[in-house]
Amino acid sequence: MTRGFGRLRREDLLKTACEVIAAQGFGHTRTLDIARAAGVSQALLFYHFETKDQLFAQALVYAARRDLDSLAKLDRAGGTPVERLRHLLRLYSPTGSARTWRMWIDAWAESMRSADLEETSRRLDLRWKESLRAIVDEGVASGAFACADPDAATWRILSLVDGLAVQVSVHRRVLSRQRVAELIRTATAAELGIREEDLS
């Protein structure tokens, strides 16, 4: 019973941490802010998470869990490489919650100063790259894609999405989300030798 309560409390703390961090940013969030928002003592926070950096790293994992669960389902699902590519781009592209992308962008910036955050963000980032690379490799092997360098194409596609996510999250009036989706489809189609319409 106690362990079940502990798991629940940990989940509650991570959820609250994500809400506070999304509102204030990693650099401006104190453990005291999270403890107050959760209605607990800082001692309880440090009981579950040894350091502030570990708490932030785990909060980032918690925030990404839904996307990673969807990505795992995509990896297990059938479908053609084009269908799976279309699905992955929809999952990864900045067309959902602006707050979620702001948290990721903030995490990348803070990762330059936090080893725990850097390790967590790198691991999650590489997970997306592994999934896209597997789809590209499958598409090349089946003849669905024409791509001389799948590794480079994977990096360029996801780097473009990351860059556009920064633009729509930080400079919201520069590009519409519809325009961002068009740019992603155009670049991805060119990288993989398919028609842009195939990704619509």
Side-chain angles (χ1 to χ4, degrees), residues 37-183:
V40 300
S41 67
Q42 286 191 83
L44 183 62
L45 277 183
F46 289 119
Y47 170 78
H48 287 287
F49 312 96
E50 291 183 13
T51 66
K52 176 182 175 181
D53 283 350
Q54 285 183 16
L55 169 59
F56 283 4
Q58 289 301 307
L60 187 61
V61 172
Y62 180 86
R65 190 176 303 155
R66 182 177 299 175
D67 285 347
L68 289 177
D69 287 346
S70 298
L71 189 57
K73 289 177 184 175
L74 172 63
D75 288 343
R76 294 191 301 268
T80 67
V82 172
E83 289 169 343
R84 294 174 61 221
L85 173 63
R86 189 186 311 124
H87 190 183
L88 183 141
L89 290 177
R90 285 180 183 154
L91 284 175
Y92 193 73
S93 297
T95 54
S97 168
R99 172 172 279 199
T100 300
W101 265 105
R102 282 198 301 271
M103 185 173 178
W104 271 108
I105 293 164
D106 195 32
W108 290 334
E110 198 64 25
S111 291
M112 292 186 287
R113 293 173 288 278
S114 166
D116 285 329
L117 271 180
E118 189 280 327
E119 191 278 333
T120 300
S121 64
R122 173 170 34 88
R123 182 163 40 87
L124 296 174
D125 194 47
L126 289 174
R127 179 69 183 83
W128 283 101
K129 287 181 172 65
E130 288 169 5
S131 290
L132 178 56
R133 175 65 190 272
I135 292 171
V136 173
D137 285 342
E138 182 184 337
V140 170
S142 69
F145 301 151
C147 177
D149 190 342
D151 187 63
T154 297
W155 278 98
R156 284 192 294 265
I157 291 167
L158 292 184
S159 295
L160 171 71
V161 178
D162 291 342
L164 290 171
V166 172
Q167 288 294 329
V168 298
S169 298
V170 179
H171 308 294
R172 290 186 287 278
R173 293 184 179 85
V174 173
L175 288 171
S176 69
R177 292 184 185 276
Q178 180 179 354
R179 180 61 175 150
V180 167
E182 290 171 0
L183 292 171

Side-chain angles (χ1 to χ4, degrees), residues 24-36:
Q24 298 180 189
F26 284 95
H28 296 287
T29 297
R30 303 170 301 169
T31 54
L32 179 60
D33 299 327
I34 296 170
R36 283 178 176 167

